[in-house]
Amino acid sequence: VFTLPGGQTTARVEFEALGDNRPTTTQYAWQLDNGPWSGWQTEPYVVLRDYDGGPHTFQLKARNGGLDESLEKIATLRFEADI
């Protein structure tokens, strides 16, 4: 868990698929605080905006070119906003 600087209500989260066999068409979907999952996207980042102060959980999943979604490999990032 890390704390964002005071008053900050925007954060850019960048990510990428790792490994020797990573495809060039990886798609990502994300979720904040158990809200709905985003649609699949190829951009390797998301800009989070207008979140409340306190603890938050960002989750990310990936799939290879529209296939092979791996639900057991969801990455989790926890942060706290000091607003």
Side-chain angles (χ1 to χ4, degrees), residues 9 33 49-56 79-83:
T9 59
D33 297 331
R49 293 184 171 86
D50 300 323
Y51 43 79
D52 296 329
H56 296 280
F79 67 95
E80 186 162 329
D82 183 17
I83 299 175

Side-chain angles (χ1 to χ4, degrees), residues 56-75:
H56 296 280
T57 301
F58 174 84
Q59 293 187 291
L60 179 75
K61 60 185 177 178
R63 66 182 182 184
N64 300 330
L67 306 171
D68 301 330
E69 176 182 347
S70 179
L71 294 178
E72 64 274 356
K73 294 184 180 180
I74 295 175

Side-chain angles (χ1 to χ4, degrees), residues 4-53:
L4 297 175
Q8 182 173 331
T9 59
T10 302
R12 180 179 168 126
V13 181
E14 297 183 10
F15 33 83
E16 73 175 294
L18 299 176
D20 294 335
N21 62 349
R22 69 177 179 228
T24 57
T25 58
T26 301
Q27 296 178 329
Y28 306 95
W30 60 273
Q31 175 188 65
L32 183 64
D33 297 331
N34 292 317
W37 283 95
S38 71
W40 291 102
Q41 65 184 57
T42 56
E43 295 83 10
Y45 68 89
V46 64
V47 177
L48 305 175
R49 293 184 171 86
D50 300 323
Y51 43 79
D52 296 329

